[in-house]
Amino acid sequence: MFALKGRKAGRSRAPLEAADLDGQFVLPRPLRRAVRFLVSLGTGRIHFAPYTGTVSAIAFFTATGFYGMSLGGHSQDFAQTTTTAAGFAIEDVKVSGNDQTSEIDILQQLGLDGATSLVALDIGVARKLISEMPWVEDVAVRKVYPGTIEVNLKERKAFGIWQHGTDLSLIEASGSVIAPLRDNKFSELPLFVGRDAETSAAAFYEHFSQWPEISKRVKAYVRVAGRRWDLMLDNGITIKLPEHDLERAMQVLSTMEEGQQLLERDIAAVDLRLEDRTTIQLTPEAAARRQTVLEARTKMLKKQELESRI
């Protein structure tokens, strides 16, 4: 029993005693396996398969080439060329949800030229480029191998036309500008004129829709000093609305139109800004005719007065 215990204890202390008694250096345990491998390699006890050196050299130079292309920024071009040659060129772009955005516009925005590789196409970059197009509110892009891209669009909605200076722009209900007005296919949209008109247009337009008989005759809504609105009617008459109490002003206008056909007369403007009175401005022609009538009436009254004295 004593001998067994002694042998066990001696075995556990052997490395330490060898280092202490002989003065030899003992390698740390993690390095011993690597040293044994190198010793076996040097003594010829390890044999490599044929062509191992050739394969290792090719792998080394290939890795070096890829690393150099990465540093030089040519890895994308290399991937593009190789995958296109392998049959992954983009041949079809399927677009859905588009009304104002054409497929040609998307192709040009992505820079697709018939030789672009589907594998090398960066979906994140493609989505970002398409989302920068004027009408695009949201976009989803998906690869369909071997050569198709699916683009699903959500487009912005045009609410009206905003005239600022001599420029005309299409705007959303929020007032955000979508794009410059290029053609007449949006001519049925309401026209808002003036500084800050785009941001207040939707709320005023919704409120003004309570008077459809008047609103259908409005050619333009003009924002004045960022506080109130003027209405430009299709026959050239200007309706000057107050800053507050729109209901009162429109009730007065509706009553005068129903009872006297005010808006059919030869007038230039109707001023409804003051609560206690309504001012009507005649056109220059109507004013001249009225002046002629007044002068003729004055002459007739004077003549009657002279005749009565005789």
Side-chain angles (χ1 to χ4, degrees):
M1 180 67 72
F2 178 79
L4 181 59
K5 291 182 179 179
R7 188 162 48 250
K8 185 175 180 181
R11 186 179 302 131
S12 63
R13 293 193 302 269
L16 179 59
E17 292 173 354
D20 292 341
L21 296 176
D22 299 337
Q24 298 177 353
F25 175 73
V26 179
L27 288 173
R29 186 177 298 274
L31 297 178
R32 294 176 190 174
R33 183 171 296 180
V35 171
R36 293 193 194 103
F37 174 78
L38 292 176
V39 171
S40 298
L41 184 64
T43 57
R45 282 185 286 176
I46 296 179
H47 300 281
F48 292 101
Y51 309 112
T52 301
T54 303
V55 173
S56 299
I58 293 174
F60 172 76
F61 287 117
T62 300
T64 303
F66 277 115
Y67 180 69
M69 285 189 293
S70 177
L71 290 179
H74 302 294
S75 56
Q76 185 73 13
D77 296 337
F78 177 77
Q80 167 106 349
T81 302
T82 54
T83 54
T84 298
F88 292 101
I90 298 174
E91 298 179 349
D92 188 19
V93 178
K94 297 181 179 179
V95 183
S96 60
N98 61 314
D99 185 28
Q100 306 300 330
T101 306
S102 69
E103 294 183 6
I104 295 178
D105 293 337
I106 294 176
L107 293 176
Q108 293 176 344
Q109 185 75 358
L110 295 179
L112 303 181
D113 55 5
T116 305
S117 166
L118 184 64
V119 177
L121 179 70
D122 189 321
I123 289 294
V125 173
R127 186 183 299 111
K128 181 177 182 298
L129 288 173
I130 297 175
S131 65
E132 292 173 353
M133 301 179 72
W135 285 94
V136 177
E137 180 178 346
D138 193 18
V139 58
V141 182
R142 188 168 73 96
K143 296 181 181 180
V144 180
Y145 286 93
T148 301
I149 297 178
E150 291 184 352
V151 179
N152 185 13
L153 296 179
K154 179 182 178 182
E155 291 189 329
R156 303 163 72 181
K157 301 298 182 183
F159 162 73
I161 302 170
W162 175 40
Q163 180 177 335
H164 43 110
T166 58
D167 298 327
L168 294 173
S169 301
L170 292 167
I171 59 173
E172 296 180 282
S174 64
S176 298
V177 175
I178 298 175
L181 181 64
R182 301 298 188 192
D183 49 49
N184 294 326
K185 68 178 179 179
F186 297 100
S187 59
E188 296 301 319
L189 294 177
L191 173 63
F192 302 93
V193 182
R195 183 171 58 88
D196 299 330
E198 79 284 12
T199 57
S200 308
F204 177 78
Y205 188 76
E206 182 179 2
H207 193 186
F208 192 72
S209 63
Q210 300 178 39
W211 299 277
E213 294 302 318
I214 303 296
S215 61
K216 69 181 182 181
R217 301 187 58 175
V218 176
K219 184 177 181 180
Y221 301 86
V222 182
R223 189 67 167 164
V224 181
R227 297 184 296 104
R228 63 175 196 86
W229 294 89
D230 281 351
L231 309 178
M232 302 294 295
L233 303 188
D234 51 10
N235 59 356
I237 296 176
T238 300
I239 309 297
K240 299 181 179 181
L241 298 176
E243 182 178 356
H244 305 291
D245 200 4
L246 179 63
E247 288 78 5
R248 184 224 27 111
M250 290 305 302
Q251 184 60 48
V252 171
L253 182 63
S254 299
T255 301
M256 295 179 72
E257 173 62 14
E258 291 175 3
Q260 307 173 32
Q261 289 73 49
L262 177 67
L263 301 181
E264 311 304 325
R265 300 192 177 191
D266 196 4
I267 60 176
V270 180
D271 193 342
L272 300 168
R273 289 176 294 174
L274 299 179
E275 184 176 354
D276 58 343
R277 64 178 179 271
T278 300
T279 304
I280 297 175
Q281 178 184 346
L282 299 176
T283 62
E285 295 78 8
R289 290 196 299 270
R290 182 173 183 274
Q291 183 64 31
T292 301
V293 171
L294 290 176
E295 291 176 354
R297 182 180 178 185
T298 302
K299 291 179 180 179
M300 183 184 65
L301 291 174
K302 288 182 177 180
K303 180 178 180 182
Q304 291 177 350
E305 182 180 356
L306 289 176
E307 290 176 351
S308 62
R309 291 179 182 180
I310 300 175

